[in-house]
Amino acid sequence: MKFRSYIKPFFCMLILSLSSACDNYLDREDTSGIITPDKIWDNPVAIEAVLVNLYDGLKLDDFDTWFSSRWRLINATSLSDEAQGSYQKDWLFSNAAEVWTYSEYVFEDKFSDRYVHIRRNNDFLYQLEQAVVLTEEEKNVLSAEVRFLRALQYFSLAKRYGGVPLITEPQEFTGDTEALQVPRNTEAETYDFIIDECREIAEILPSVRGAEGEYRATRGAALALMSRAALYAGTIARYSPGAGLSGEAVSRGLVCIPQSEAERFFTTCYEASTTLITDGVYKLYDSNPDKVENFYELFSNKLNGNNGEYIFQKQYNVAGGKGHAWDKLNAPFSYRGDGWGCGMAPTLELVEAFEYTDDSDGTLRIRDNHGIPISYDSPYDIFENKDPRLFGSVYLPGSPLKGSTVQWIRGIIDGQNGSGQKYQAQNQPDKDNTVIIDGENYNASGKDGGADVGDASKTGFYQRKFFDETLDDMTNIDANRSQTPWVVFRLGEIYLNLAEACMELGGKEGEALEAVNAIRRRAGIQELGSVSLEQVRHERRVELAFEKHRIWDMIRWRIAHRDVSEGGLSNFRGTALYPWYNLQSGKYTFEIGTEPPKQKRLFLERSYYTRLNPSDLSTNSKLIQNPGYGN
């Protein structure tokens, strides 16, 4: 059976394709608009259409994943130390005198929602086994593909809840609801299930697919999930004792993995990562000699994910009604059209995490050795010689964009070298920020921000990674005009997974160094002579910024509950960079804004696992609540 190009899934989830397949089938079979189960499994086209629907139900941490309403700008990026949400009026991002505690349900993914999709996967696998219109080889490949989708569903649950009920066959209601209630497996068993599935299906799925199936699961996707899941399990095993969790869920192993299992999981990650890299199917994207634009292009709509590095991705298609609004939500203030925009505001902490190209510390040079503010001709000059990945990931004050530059200015100093009367921006950029100095009118704000109020960034930065600079129409938040693909797995992550596993195993520092330097070499930054675990984690932070990894990394490393001074999220607010225009010299000096109008945060140890929803508990008496929440 060949998959027809007109129903190629757009990670492929084009519902337009699903409709085309079903309409074509209905026309030929004359079923009066009703597709009955027997007709579906008697026709390859209908089976393919069902598969499209399974892809469509694959919930991921992607562009459209918001914890609560999207206007609140709470997602995996803004909940980490990478960024703040720019919009002012929200409990996490306003009332700076308050403390915001990570809520019990902030990462919630209700069982009652997720298991609907798992059941559909199970039902497909059961029905597929009975189908007679496909060859055994075709059935084996399709089965492996759906098992991959199911494993991804379980991984999304595991990283939130720990151990979850492993249901691998469709349940049928026979009048006894208790018979449908399944207890939670241990966290180790849950990760083992995901890993074992990936190990088996990697031997069945094709290494490459033709154009008609290029966005579907492959051997590489299975190995990538295996690599990530094993790394998560290994670190959870090694570092869980530092989280101080206790209670029935811990004692039963429903959460936390015994430390004795860490090496086994790290070895699995090492083997899966090594295999994926040495298979040679994927390579680090390095086609543009301009290292800044090379890194930006990797995630841009220009390449549409066809960069040789993406292993598995979620595609979008505006014409098919499956676009997204990421660009509209994240455009810098003056580029945002009729409102919204500004979205993720990267923190100075992240910006300074990007080193200089000579491998020196990334701390910006704001003052000289005598403590005097350094003057720069342009705000952009302070970032000279920084890691090219910074410019590909973040819009900085002075960054070029659409024939202009991003302009974020805190205000004007009537003087030079940072000394003199200060006139600070008081309103968002489209409001009045006029100041009068010696009878002359000046605008104290940049066109993209500077004040502590309104929609614009409060840190001085905007997110560039994934932003489509070719989009001209930024009006109408509901138009969903964006179709930049979301990367689920890419080779860059696999190199870093390998490096981390090597360091955790010990005795493989040379391989870790080689993997990290492959990433740095592509980035255009000086290679390291030796490497530590902390350096591997640091490389992961900058290379994978905004790809929704950071918060989950902090959770699996069990560092999120620590104070910000120890690398955690407690008491983290997010620091800003304030450029000031010095009127007398025509140059810019900088200050660090340590108290932007955002709440400090508090990450409790119990937040390493999400609270099970009461509605899930009430329908399954065999479930045990996660530690720290009670039932």
PDB file of all heavy atoms in Angstrom, residues 167-179:
ATOM      1  N   ILE A 167      -2.028   1.519  29.853  1.00  0.00           N
ATOM      2  CA  ILE A 167      -3.139   0.801  29.215  1.00  0.00           C
ATOM      3  C   ILE A 167      -2.770   0.622  27.751  1.00  0.00           C
ATOM      4  O   ILE A 167      -2.578   1.599  27.029  1.00  0.00           O
ATOM      5  CB  ILE A 167      -4.452   1.597  29.357  1.00  0.00           C
ATOM      6  CG1 ILE A 167      -4.752   1.856  30.837  1.00  0.00           C
ATOM      7  CG2 ILE A 167      -5.605   0.859  28.692  1.00  0.00           C
ATOM      8  CD1 ILE A 167      -5.933   2.769  31.081  1.00  0.00           C
ATOM      9  N   THR A 168      -2.678  -0.614  27.324  1.00  0.00           N
ATOM     10  CA  THR A 168      -2.195  -0.888  25.964  1.00  0.00           C
ATOM     11  C   THR A 168      -3.223  -1.588  25.088  1.00  0.00           C
ATOM     12  O   THR A 168      -2.928  -1.918  23.946  1.00  0.00           O
ATOM     13  CB  THR A 168      -0.922  -1.756  26.021  1.00  0.00           C
ATOM     14  OG1 THR A 168      -1.227  -2.982  26.704  1.00  0.00           O
ATOM     15  CG2 THR A 168       0.197  -1.027  26.754  1.00  0.00           C
ATOM     16  N   GLU A 169      -4.405  -1.801  25.626  1.00  0.00           N
ATOM     17  CA  GLU A 169      -5.481  -2.392  24.837  1.00  0.00           C
ATOM     18  C   GLU A 169      -6.758  -1.589  25.059  1.00  0.00           C
ATOM     19  O   GLU A 169      -6.949  -1.016  26.142  1.00  0.00           O
ATOM     20  CB  GLU A 169      -5.713  -3.856  25.249  1.00  0.00           C
ATOM     21  CG  GLU A 169      -4.532  -4.770  24.965  1.00  0.00           C
ATOM     22  CD  GLU A 169      -4.811  -6.203  25.390  1.00  0.00           C
ATOM     23  OE1 GLU A 169      -5.895  -6.443  25.959  1.00  0.00           O
ATOM     24  OE2 GLU A 169      -3.946  -7.070  25.149  1.00  0.00           O
ATOM     25  N   PRO A 170      -7.646  -1.516  24.066  1.00  0.00           N
ATOM     26  CA  PRO A 170      -8.892  -0.768  24.246  1.00  0.00           C
ATOM     27  C   PRO A 170      -9.770  -1.413  25.300  1.00  0.00           C
ATOM     28  O   PRO A 170      -9.982  -2.634  25.277  1.00  0.00           O
ATOM     29  CB  PRO A 170      -9.541  -0.807  22.857  1.00  0.00           C
ATOM     30  CG  PRO A 170      -8.935  -1.985  22.174  1.00  0.00           C
ATOM     31  CD  PRO A 170      -7.544  -2.106  22.716  1.00  0.00           C
ATOM     32  N   GLN A 171     -10.243  -0.614  26.240  1.00  0.00           N
ATOM     33  CA  GLN A 171     -11.120  -1.131  27.286  1.00  0.00           C
ATOM     34  C   GLN A 171     -12.571  -1.082  26.813  1.00  0.00           C
ATOM     35  O   GLN A 171     -12.977  -0.135  26.135  1.00  0.00           O
ATOM     36  CB  GLN A 171     -10.966  -0.313  28.569  1.00  0.00           C
ATOM     37  CG  GLN A 171      -9.596  -0.419  29.208  1.00  0.00           C
ATOM     38  CD  GLN A 171      -9.488   0.482  30.431  1.00  0.00           C
ATOM     39  OE1 GLN A 171      -9.692   1.686  30.351  1.00  0.00           O
ATOM     40  NE2 GLN A 171      -9.181  -0.110  31.571  1.00  0.00           N
ATOM     41  N   GLU A 172     -13.343  -2.074  27.206  1.00  0.00           N
ATOM     42  CA  GLU A 172     -14.755  -2.116  26.855  1.00  0.00           C
ATOM     43  C   GLU A 172     -15.590  -2.110  28.127  1.00  0.00           C
ATOM     44  O   GLU A 172     -15.304  -2.849  29.079  1.00  0.00           O
ATOM     45  CB  GLU A 172     -15.066  -3.373  26.034  1.00  0.00           C
ATOM     46  CG  GLU A 172     -14.400  -3.407  24.665  1.00  0.00           C
ATOM     47  CD  GLU A 172     -14.845  -2.277  23.763  1.00  0.00           C
ATOM     48  OE1 GLU A 172     -15.999  -1.813  23.910  1.00  0.00           O
ATOM     49  OE2 GLU A 172     -14.036  -1.843  22.915  1.00  0.00           O
ATOM     50  N   PHE A 173     -16.613  -1.265  28.153  1.00  0.00           N
ATOM     51  CA  PHE A 173     -17.491  -1.185  29.317  1.00  0.00           C
ATOM     52  C   PHE A 173     -18.533  -2.288  29.256  1.00  0.00           C
ATOM     53  O   PHE A 173     -19.289  -2.404  28.293  1.00  0.00           O
ATOM     54  CB  PHE A 173     -18.172   0.183  29.370  1.00  0.00           C
ATOM     55  CG  PHE A 173     -19.143   0.325  30.512  1.00  0.00           C
ATOM     56  CD1 PHE A 173     -18.704   0.215  31.819  1.00  0.00           C
ATOM     57  CD2 PHE A 173     -20.488   0.564  30.277  1.00  0.00           C
ATOM     58  CE1 PHE A 173     -19.583   0.343  32.889  1.00  0.00           C
ATOM     59  CE2 PHE A 173     -21.380   0.705  31.329  1.00  0.00           C
ATOM     60  CZ  PHE A 173     -20.931   0.594  32.647  1.00  0.00           C
ATOM     61  N   THR A 174     -18.575  -3.109  30.289  1.00  0.00           N
ATOM     62  CA  THR A 174     -19.539  -4.225  30.344  1.00  0.00           C
ATOM     63  C   THR A 174     -20.517  -4.067  31.489  1.00  0.00           C
ATOM     64  O   THR A 174     -21.166  -5.029  31.898  1.00  0.00           O
ATOM     65  CB  THR A 174     -18.777  -5.550  30.492  1.00  0.00           C
ATOM     66  OG1 THR A 174     -17.993  -5.512  31.699  1.00  0.00           O
ATOM     67  CG2 THR A 174     -17.888  -5.802  29.289  1.00  0.00           C
ATOM     68  N   GLY A 175     -20.605  -2.840  32.027  1.00  0.00           N
ATOM     69  CA  GLY A 175     -21.507  -2.597  33.139  1.00  0.00           C
ATOM     70  C   GLY A 175     -20.797  -2.491  34.467  1.00  0.00           C
ATOM     71  O   GLY A 175     -21.389  -2.079  35.469  1.00  0.00           O
ATOM     72  N   ASP A 176     -19.529  -2.857  34.526  1.00  0.00           N
ATOM     73  CA  ASP A 176     -18.751  -2.810  35.763  1.00  0.00           C
ATOM     74  C   ASP A 176     -17.674  -1.737  35.634  1.00  0.00           C
ATOM     75  O   ASP A 176     -16.634  -1.955  35.018  1.00  0.00           O
ATOM     76  CB  ASP A 176     -18.106  -4.177  36.024  1.00  0.00           C
ATOM     77  CG  ASP A 176     -17.304  -4.203  37.325  1.00  0.00           C
ATOM     78  OD1 ASP A 176     -17.373  -3.219  38.094  1.00  0.00           O
ATOM     79  OD2 ASP A 176     -16.594  -5.210  37.546  1.00  0.00           O
ATOM     80  N   THR A 177     -17.936  -0.563  36.206  1.00  0.00           N
ATOM     81  CA  THR A 177     -16.979   0.543  36.086  1.00  0.00           C
ATOM     82  C   THR A 177     -15.677   0.250  36.814  1.00  0.00           C
ATOM     83  O   THR A 177     -14.612   0.702  36.404  1.00  0.00           O
ATOM     84  CB  THR A 177     -17.591   1.842  36.642  1.00  0.00           C
ATOM     85  OG1 THR A 177     -17.979   1.629  38.014  1.00  0.00           O
ATOM     86  CG2 THR A 177     -18.790   2.275  35.832  1.00  0.00           C
ATOM     87  N   GLU A 178     -15.751  -0.534  37.887  1.00  0.00           N
ATOM     88  CA  GLU A 178     -14.540  -0.823  38.647  1.00  0.00           C
ATOM     89  C   GLU A 178     -13.546  -1.626  37.824  1.00  0.00           C
ATOM     90  O   GLU A 178     -12.328  -1.497  37.988  1.00  0.00           O
ATOM     91  CB  GLU A 178     -14.888  -1.577  39.927  1.00  0.00           C
ATOM     92  CG  GLU A 178     -13.694  -1.741  40.863  1.00  0.00           C
ATOM     93  CD  GLU A 178     -14.077  -2.345  42.198  1.00  0.00           C
ATOM     94  OE1 GLU A 178     -15.281  -2.460  42.483  1.00  0.00           O
ATOM     95  OE2 GLU A 178     -13.156  -2.693  42.965  1.00  0.00           O
ATOM     96  N   ALA A 179     -14.066  -2.419  36.908  1.00  0.00           N
ATOM     97  CA  ALA A 179     -13.179  -3.226  36.071  1.00  0.00           C
ATOM     98  C   ALA A 179     -12.346  -2.363  35.135  1.00  0.00           C
ATOM     99  O   ALA A 179     -11.306  -2.805  34.627  1.00  0.00           O
ATOM    100  CB  ALA A 179     -14.007  -4.231  35.269  1.00  0.00           C
TER     101      ALA A 179
END
